[in-house]
Amino acid sequence: MQSRSASRPAMEPPRIPDLRHVSLSRPILPPSMQIKTDTDVEEWKRTTGYKDYCLWVVRLNASVVGLDNATILAAPKSEAVSKTIAMLDEIKTWVQEIPPYGDRQRFGNLAFRDWGKRLQKKVPLLLQNLLPHSLSPAIPLLTPYLLSSFGDFTRLDYGSGHELSFAIFLMGLSLIRFFQPLPEEERQLVVAVFGKYLEVVWNLQDVYRLEPAGSHGVWGLDDYHFLGFLWGSAQLRGVAGANPSSVLSPPLPPTNLYNQQVTRIYQLKIGPFFEHSAQLQAIATNVATWEKVNAGMLKMYEAEVLNKRVVVQHLPLGGLLAWETDDTQKTSQSGQ
């Protein structure tokens, strides 16, 4: 007779919940600035929008585990993904048409303001061309995030808050089902779409000499970015022979976003790696596996980006990134 314990199925990892579907059949108010104090940050962490975004990041993270760039890029792309990449390619061409001024400032070429004015003028048309007519009510809900995805046109800087805006733009497109929340599409968002976005903003940073926005300096992962390290570390999970210490031995193959991010640091900074990238050095020398690196990156992203008032106070909230909490939902439902 078979024992009861032997008949139990093997433990499986918990299933990641489905992403919420936001219907556009009813009007939705556009997002607005909500965070002014640390108390507002605590409120933000309780909202539906915060939970949606954290879930979306985790879903994309899981979709690329163990997969290199070439494998993902070789797979067929949906029309939605292809159109988004084409939009980013168009945006990138503007840099050639708006060359930097001839000044020798260390940071912040004023031509970036001209580039920003073009983006502000073109965003409505970009989104009209991107979305099918049935999703056009989402244009005012998505516009603020696309506008703030490429840097600040007044301060002439770029940081993880601008990267966050672009990620929320992509999440919003997933909530309204322009993108389908399926692993095969989500991994394309990581490597094909977000990878193209990195190509665009790296070009902007280089040509217009954008200043790091709110940089942690030597104690941060990077002067400008975070998500490439997070999702790139997921790509390296479970890969035979992959060790976090490998990033200390350049040149690195461009097989994942993590290597691409670290390679860019090697290209931009001089001196010993441990001096200009102490956090990455510590990860490479003290963390044994990419599984642990990836788990730590998820926690760090939440703590250092999503929960930091200096970052999220510039983020429009509401609209697709719902500001309501479970409590307000229950209250509104009980009043119906």
Side-chain angles (χ1 to χ4, degrees), residues 8-63:
R8 291 176 181 169
M11 288 291 291
E12 295 181 357
R15 179 180 174 275
I16 301 175
D18 293 333
L19 190 68
R20 201 165 57 96
H21 181 192
V22 175
S23 171
L24 298 173
S25 59
R26 295 182 180 181
I28 301 174
L29 292 175
S32 59
M33 299 302 179
Q34 303 280 357
I35 296 179
K36 298 179 178 65
T37 67
D38 289 339
T39 301
D40 295 332
V41 175
E42 294 304 310
E43 184 71 9
W44 147 241
K45 289 158 62 176
R46 297 174 55 242
T47 64
T48 299
Y50 183 92
K51 294 173 184 176
D52 284 342
Y53 181 71
C54 288
L55 172 61
W56 181 82
V57 168
V58 168
R59 287 182 60 89
L60 267 62
N61 189 74
S63 75

Side-chain angles (χ1 to χ4, degrees), residues 79-157:
E79 181 182 4
V81 166
S82 296
K83 290 181 71 174
T84 307
I85 293 171
M87 181 188 74
L88 291 169
D89 277 328
E90 178 183 348
I91 288 172
K92 186 181 177 183
T93 64
W94 301 346
V95 176
Q96 298 173 348
E97 299 168 9
I98 306 173
Y101 298 158
D103 55 49
R104 302 303 302 168
Q105 291 174 277
R106 183 186 176 198
F107 286 122
N109 192 286
L110 293 175
F112 185 54
R113 292 180 179 168
D114 296 336
W115 191 94
K117 289 176 183 176
R118 179 175 293 191
L119 179 66
Q120 291 168 338
K121 180 180 178 181
K122 295 280 191 177
V123 157
L125 182 59
L126 289 173
L127 292 177
Q128 286 172 20
N129 292 338
L130 181 69
L131 298 174
H133 180 71
S134 61
L135 297 181
S136 61
I139 290 177
L141 308 176
L142 295 165
T143 294
Y145 301 113
L146 188 58
L147 272 176
S148 59
S149 291
F150 301 95
D152 188 283
F153 308 126
T154 300
R155 298 192 304 268
L156 308 177
D157 64 13

Side-chain angles (χ1 to χ4, degrees), residues 94-253:
W94 301 346
V95 176
Q96 298 173 348
E97 299 168 9
I98 306 173
Y101 298 158
D103 55 49
R104 302 303 302 168
Q105 291 174 277
R106 183 186 176 198
F107 286 122
N109 192 286
L110 293 175
F112 185 54
R113 292 180 179 168
D114 296 336
W115 191 94
K117 289 176 183 176
R118 179 175 293 191
L119 179 66
Q120 291 168 338
K121 180 180 178 181
K122 295 280 191 177
V123 157
L125 182 59
L126 289 173
L127 292 177
Q128 286 172 20
N129 292 338
L130 181 69
L131 298 174
H133 180 71
S134 61
L135 297 181
S136 61
I139 290 177
L141 308 176
L142 295 165
T143 294
Y145 301 113
L146 188 58
L147 272 176
S148 59
S149 291
F150 301 95
D152 188 283
F153 308 126
T154 300
R155 298 192 304 268
L156 308 177
D157 64 13
Y158 178 96
S160 56
H162 302 108
E163 179 189 71
L164 172 60
S165 289
F166 184 72
I168 290 172
F169 171 72
L170 297 182
M171 183 204 69
L173 290 170
S174 299
L175 289 175
I176 62 174
R177 297 302 189 262
F178 177 70
F179 298 128
Q180 299 305 310
L182 301 170
E184 54 267 30
E185 182 119 308
E186 290 169 332
R187 62 180 63 111
Q188 291 289 345
L189 294 185
V190 173
V191 173
V193 177
F194 185 76
K196 174 62 67 173
Y197 167 74
L198 287 177
E199 181 184 313
V200 173
V201 293
W202 286 346
N203 190 37
L204 292 172
Q205 291 161 20
D206 293 345
V207 172
Y208 299 123
R209 297 183 176 273
L210 301 185
E211 187 171 4
S215 172
H216 291 291
V218 69
W219 301 111
L221 292 176
D222 178 88
D223 286 341
Y224 299 98
H225 294 283
F226 198 113
L227 283 172
F229 295 100
L230 169 59
W231 290 328
S233 64
Q235 290 181 268
L236 287 159
R237 280 173 51 185
V239 175
N243 188 297
S245 63
S246 65
V247 302
L248 301 179
S249 302
L252 305 177

Side-chain angles (χ1 to χ4, degrees), residues 267-323:
Q267 292 169 345
L268 294 180
K269 297 191 175 184
I270 59 174
F273 191 77
F274 70 87
E275 288 186 356
H276 58 65
S277 300
Q279 183 79 274
L280 290 170
Q281 171 82 20
I283 291 169
T285 55
N286 298 326
V287 185
T289 67
W290 284 110
E291 286 80 4
K292 290 183 178 180
V293 173
N294 188 228
M297 288 283 179
L298 282 166
K299 293 177 182 177
M300 187 179 178
Y301 184 63
E302 190 168 8
E304 298 299 325
V305 177
L306 301 185
N307 295 351
K308 281 294 184 344
R309 179 164 64 88
V310 293
V311 176
V312 295
Q313 68 186 356
H314 304 295
L315 189 67
L317 300 172
L320 295 175
L321 197 65
W323 181 251

